[in-house]
Amino acid sequence: MPPRPRTLAAAIVAALALGAQAVPAAAADGPAGDSTTTTSRGVEIPAFYTPPSELPGADGTLIRHEPLPLALSLPGIDGPLPGRATRLMYKSTDANGEAVAVTGAYIEPAARWRGDGPRPLVAVAPGTMGQGDQCAASMALEHPLQLNGQTVSVGYEDLSVYRLLLRGVAVVVTDYVGLGTTDRLHTYVNRVDGAHAVLDAVRAARALDSASVTSESRVGLFGYSQGGGATAAAAELQPSYAPDVQLAGTYAGAPPADLTEVTRAIDGSDLAGALGWSLNGFLQTEPALRPIADRYINEAGQEALKDLSTMCVGDALFGYGGDSSTDWTKTGQSISDVIRAEPVLQTFLGEQRIGSLKPAGPVRVATGTSDDLVPHGQARRLAVDWCGKGAQVTYVPVLLPGVGSGLLNHFAPLLTDQGSAISWLTDRLSGEPAGSNCWSMPVQP
């Protein structure tokens, strides 16, 4: 299928904004799980990403770590700028209560923290990267652009990471469950898996000997799109799952809080491939859904799901942008129609809903008013739900005109609001109290 011009342009612009540099990886600190490497769409996945056969018991425990060369780095008097990076593998628990290895990266900033208190830590939950292991955000810090004729992966989250580092904030990035690690499929937009991976990344960073952050460091969460859903879910689950990880503030940008609505919106959009990642992830988490999938998904749909399971965002934009899920079903129904026809699927997606619990600490929910990819309405409703539970919510509608492209309507608020979001979060990390504008929700767009 030929590339869509507008999605091709978006990917190229993002790639040029980031730049690319290939740097060989350093030797791991401790043995990797396997001495051999695997490949995904022609990209070699280092042996570091193969989990060991046995995992530690405590969540957040470091399994292994190694130096991680940052592609965008400059020499400095006290070390590389903007900081020194370490690749991580740590233990977490998935939605089924099973032990799982998760990878990520910690970056110790060269800049001095000028706010109140000790150097703080922000866990960055990446936006949609894809489902192939080569798409992992930790790899994107080393190779911001993967372009080899088989895959297109762009490390657009590097921008938020570097902006935080320049403020003297330490950053830990999670790759999520199954992204990077070669033992399982990435459980895309799974509420519990995403939340646990984010919170355990904080624990892993604290356990790193070379890190300046400690249990006394204030902690913030930062995420947009898939990342916004993960940080929102983490803020909700922190009291029960990670009471040792006190949150000074959480930024949840364009959170996919209601997957039923998001499923309907992305079908036929520029990012229609994300629908396949969602289905693959649901089946990874809940194999009992497989008979329903087999009953509805036709041969073309099965091939698409298999193809997408190794794709990054760029690949999906080129290969499946604008496609409709009606082509994937035996009945000609859309996936949303299938969900409406199957109570089991409705229940499963209902359990993924974010907004049923009060989040810990102050939260900032931002959503583009013209966002029709991760619909504005369901993100706004998350803020309303949290306000109703007495949460300390700062709701920010990003007022931008629609431009006819779901991808651009979704991506533009990320760039427009990112500086303000980082400023809000660093204020919380410095101990400044957060306000709340829940009182204004009835008149907010």
Side-chain angles (χ1 to χ4, degrees), residues 6-7 10 224-225 251 253-255 265-266 268-271 317 366-379 396-417:
R6 63 186 180 191
T7 55
Y224 188 89
S225 193
Y251 164 64
I266 63 177
S269 74
D270 296 336
L271 200 57
L317 292 176
T367 168
T369 56
S370 297
D371 192 342
D372 50 0
L373 195 66
V374 179
H376 162 71
Q378 58 86 47
V396 181
V398 183
L399 304 176
L400 292 172
V403 295
S405 165
L407 182 66
L408 294 179
N409 289 339
H410 179 61
F411 189 69
L414 164 66
L415 299 178
T416 302
D417 184 58

Side-chain angles (χ1 to χ4, degrees), residues 247-267:
L247 299 178
T250 296
Y251 164 64
D258 185 338
L259 295 186
T260 300
E261 288 198 21
V262 175
T263 295
R264 186 181 305 113
I266 63 177
D267 200 345

Side-chain angles (χ1 to χ4, degrees), residues 48-49 51-52 55 60-64 87-94 98-105 138 173-181 183-184 186-187 193-194 196-198 200-201 204 241:
F48 181 95
Y49 289 85
L55 300 177
T61 299
L62 275 173
I63 298 170
R64 66 173 70 108
R87 202 186 321 259
L88 309 174
M89 178 182 284
Y90 58 93
K91 188 262 182 181
S92 190
T93 297
D94 68 13
E98 300 295 328
V100 61
V102 181
T103 54
S138 63
V173 182
T174 181
D175 289 335
Y176 298 124
V177 174
L179 192 60
T181 48
D183 61 333
R184 63 172 63 199
H186 172 42
T187 47
D193 281 12
H196 288 184
V198 169
D200 286 327
Y241 182 75

